[in-house]
Amino acid sequence: MSSSRLSMEGPASPAPAPGALPYYVAFSQLLGLTVVAMTGAWLGMYRGGIAWESALQFNVHPLCMVIGLVFLQGDALLVYRVFRNEAKRTTKVLHGLLHVFAFVIALVGLVAVFEHHRKKGYADLYSLHSWCGILVFALFFAQWLVGFSFFLFPGASFSLRSRYRPQHVFFGAAIFLLSVATALLGLKEALLFELGTKYSTFEPEGVLANVLGLLLAAFATVVLYILTRADWKRPLQAEEQALSMDFKTLTEGDSPSSQ
């Protein structure tokens, strides 16, 4: 099928969403919002709340990281499953903007923890959590820059985008999972620092934080499940099918009439 045949047939009718997809997406949002709310509750009930110009500045860090690198990043990955029939460029812009918001919020959280350490005279970047955190932040920023260059910047060719797309999808999911794993490491580290040996006595803060950790893992699992269901992928729109067929013709030497 050639691009001319596609244009003669007219625009394709919107593909209906798979029956179970909206329920899984809704469940992921319920989990994500619960994670954000429970993080705020943990910091408010047991850590004194949040403030920038005080000893509570550190608490900005976990809240911003959960909102940015967990919840918003997960939602950015789901954009192509939720907006299935909108124009591809609109979906790409939304995908990129959600990553920008996630990056800015995470940057605030990163500045908060470094500022807190500087004011208190604490050492930086000595724990496994901090090493993973810096790695995740750097990978997230690099992934966004490369993704912008390939998919939003007009200079990249269709063939180059097609070759890079599988790597972009893989690293997007991998960075998201690393973000959740780093959040779990930070949660455990915070509990050990604050509770010490009392952690093993089922202190209420420890129980609440353990539930928060399970919810973080559940959110990541549901998002990853939605992403890996092949039958839930965004269907190709008419213009994307035309570009795909033209690219195949150029690279494989197939004639449009042979399709």
Side-chain angles (χ1 to χ4, degrees), residues 154-177:
S157 66
F158 181 79
S159 61
L160 198 59
R161 293 175 182 178
S162 298
R163 292 189 179 99
Y164 172 66
R165 185 174 290 110
Q167 286 76 28
H168 183 74
V169 171
F170 169 79
F171 281 109
I175 292 168
F176 171 67
L177 291 179

Side-chain angles (χ1 to χ4, degrees), residues 29 51 56 75 78 92 124 192 228 236:
Q29 296 311 287
L56 301 176
D75 275 6
L78 294 180
K92 286 195 292 185
D124 290 318
L192 291 177
T228 54
L236 288 176

Side-chain angles (χ1 to χ4, degrees), residues 17-35 71 74-75 78-79 81-83 215 218-219 222-223 225-226 232:
L21 176 58
Y23 298 102
Y24 276 91
V25 172
F27 184 46
S28 74
Q29 296 311 287
L30 178 62
L31 285 172
L33 290 172
T34 303
V35 164
F71 181 59
D75 275 6
L78 294 180
V79 161
R81 300 297 184 269
V82 175
F83 300 98
L215 288 172
F219 177 67
V222 174
V223 169
Y225 178 74
I226 295 171
W232 289 357

Side-chain angles (χ1 to χ4, degrees), residues 6-182:
L6 283 167
S7 60
M8 289 171 59
E9 290 175 349
S13 58
L21 176 58
Y23 298 102
Y24 276 91
V25 172
F27 184 46
S28 74
Q29 296 311 287
L30 178 62
L31 285 172
L33 290 172
T34 303
V35 164
V36 173
M38 189 169 286
T39 302
W42 167 52
L43 296 173
M45 293 170 60
Y46 297 104
R47 298 302 172 101
I50 295 172
W52 189 265
E53 294 296 338
S54 73
L56 301 176
Q57 185 180 29
F58 174 82
N59 293 344
V60 175
H61 173 71
L63 184 61
C64 283
M65 292 307 183
V66 166
I67 293 173
L69 291 185
V70 176
F71 181 59
L72 286 181
Q73 184 178 188
D75 275 6
L77 298 180
L78 294 180
V79 161
Y80 288 101
R81 300 297 184 269
V82 175
F83 300 98
R84 302 172 56 78
N85 297 302
E86 284 70 22
K88 184 66 175 290
R89 183 162 185 83
T90 301
T91 311
K92 286 195 292 185
V93 169
L94 179 58
H95 177 73
L97 282 177
L98 282 174
H99 277 96
V100 170
F101 294 148
F103 175 80
V104 171
I105 293 171
L107 182 61
V108 172
L110 200 62
V111 171
V113 72
F114 278 109
E115 280 285 304
H116 176 76
H117 283 188
R118 181 183 62 79
K119 292 174 182 177
K120 295 291 185 179
Y122 297 157
D124 290 318
L125 301 177
Y126 64 89
S127 67
L128 177 61
H129 166 68
S130 61
W131 286 22
C132 290
I134 290 298
L135 175 64
V136 165
F137 190 79
L139 289 174
F140 181 89
F141 183 58
Q143 169 85 344
W144 187 89
L145 281 181
V146 176
F148 177 83
S149 301
F150 276 80
F151 300 113
L152 284 173
F153 193 74
S157 66
F158 181 79
S159 61
L160 198 59
R161 293 175 182 178
S162 298
R163 292 189 179 99
Y164 172 66
R165 185 174 290 110
Q167 286 76 28
H168 183 74
V169 171
F170 169 79
F171 281 109
I175 292 168
F176 171 67
L177 291 179
L178 285 173
S179 299
V180 174
T182 302

